[in-house]
Amino acid sequence: MTRLLPAVAALAVVVALAGCTAAPGKPVTDYAGEPKGVRPPASSAGGASWAAWLKDGAQVAIVLYGSSSCPPTIASIAATGDDRITATPAPAPGGICTRDYVPHTTVFTTPGRITKTAQVSVVLPDATLTLPARQG
């Protein structure tokens, strides 16, 4: 038992430290279309990218527009501040893509250090999206 105690203590430290890192978050899911039950902001008119809170702020949805056969997606996100998320796009698929322009949603668990009660910036390589502050 005395040999097991240091191993358990070391494992507890590793688990605790892992929760403090800003490791990139991988998608929970992605799908064609916009998030159900979420009204797109007026700024998305004409196919502009946008982001929204899901599940009372437990998740972040990022909506990008592009070809339905080669949809643009986000590969990962990372908290780069208390009010800033940096999103890394997935590589563009090769091949022939249709020339339509439709929404595609990628969903992530909200990084732990993000302050949901303040406005949050979602930084993409070519745009910065805004998540409004959540009340409560």
Side-chain angles (χ1 to χ4, degrees):
M1 183 69 165
T2 57
R3 288 185 198 171
L4 186 59
L5 190 57
V8 170
L11 180 61
V13 169
V14 169
V15 169
L17 290 176
C20 295
T21 63
K26 299 297 179 194
V28 173
T29 188
D30 74 273
Y31 49 86
E34 297 174 332
K36 303 271 188 271
V38 178
R39 173 178 265 158
S43 62
S44 71
S49 299
W50 57 283
W53 297 111
L54 300 178
K55 296 191 176 186
D56 293 324
Q59 294 181 333
V60 173
I62 301 173
V63 181
L64 303 177
Y65 288 77
S67 169
S68 62
S69 62
C70 305
T73 61
I74 301 295
S76 65
I77 63 170
T80 51
D82 293 343
D83 62 352
R84 184 180 175 102
I85 295 171
T86 299
T88 303
I96 299 172
C97 301
T98 56
R99 291 185 60 163
D100 54 353
Y101 196 66
V102 298
H104 191 90
T105 301
T106 309
V107 178
F108 297 87
T109 299
T110 301
R113 81 184 263 193
I114 294 299
T115 304
K116 294 173 233 158
T117 56
Q119 181 173 295
V120 175
S121 297
V122 178
V123 180
L124 299 164
D126 59 351
T128 298
L129 313 176
T130 301
L131 286 165
R134 294 196 46 81
Q135 302 304 315

